[in-house]
Amino acid sequence: QVQLVESGGGLVQAGGSLRLSCAASGLTFRNYGMGWFRQAPGKEREVVAAINWSGSSSYYLDSVKGRFTISRDNSRNTVYLQMNFVKPEDTAVYYCAARRGRSSTVVVTLTPDYWGQGTQVTVSS
């Protein structure tokens, strides 16, 4: 079956960096756009970043632009989220997601085809 397994979460100080990884299996990775979502307690889940099948196009939540970078390695079936200059408001459970398609752009949706289980990111001040 399809599995998306996140790793790399943890505790980091404000201003620091963290890299999340999502390893995909059970699917043809190059046929899927990938994304990172997050959800903090009491808040709705929101898309943080997304990347198309080839990595040629990406999308970012306004509040993370210039700080976070999404990337993918199709040879490793892995998508990454590099988080720099993190802020306490970045604290959330971060979820990896996959949506089937080989578009030249990214499509933002809260209902992707597959979800990972999430990894906790906590930013201390």
Side-chain angles (χ1 to χ4, degrees):
Q1 72 273 36
V2 172
Q3 286 191 315
L4 304 176
V5 181
E6 301 97 334
S7 62
L11 177 65
V12 62
Q13 293 185 46
S17 297
L18 204 64
R19 189 175 82 157
L20 307 183
S21 299
C22 172
S25 61
L27 53 74
T28 302
F29 190 68
R30 66 181 180 274
N31 290 341
Y32 288 80
M34 303 296 295
W36 287 97
F37 296 74
R38 69 185 182 189
Q39 188 166 26
K43 300 183 67 176
E44 294 188 2
R45 189 172 298 190
E46 61 184 353
V47 60
V48 177
I51 190 166
N52 77 330
W53 71 274
S54 68
S56 65
S57 183
S58 60
Y59 166 87
Y60 295 95
L61 183 68
D62 283 346
S63 62
V64 310
K65 285 182 179 178
R67 301 189 297 120
F68 292 5
T69 302
I70 189 170
S71 62
R72 66 189 295 159
D73 186 342
N74 285 352
S75 70
R76 291 176 175 263
N77 287 2
T78 302
V79 64
Y80 306 94
L81 184 68
Q82 179 66 44
M83 305 168 61
N84 296 329
F85 308 105
V86 295
K87 303 175 180 180
E89 50 261 47
D90 295 322
T91 295
V93 177
Y94 283 71
Y95 298 90
C96 178
R99 180 185 182 273
R100 197 177 197 282
R102 289 170 62 94
S103 300
S104 60
T105 60
V106 295
V107 178
V108 177
T109 177
L110 208 56
T111 57
D113 295 318
Y114 302 103
W115 290 101
Q117 293 300 304
T119 185
Q120 176 71 47
V121 172
T122 302
V123 182
S124 65
S125 59

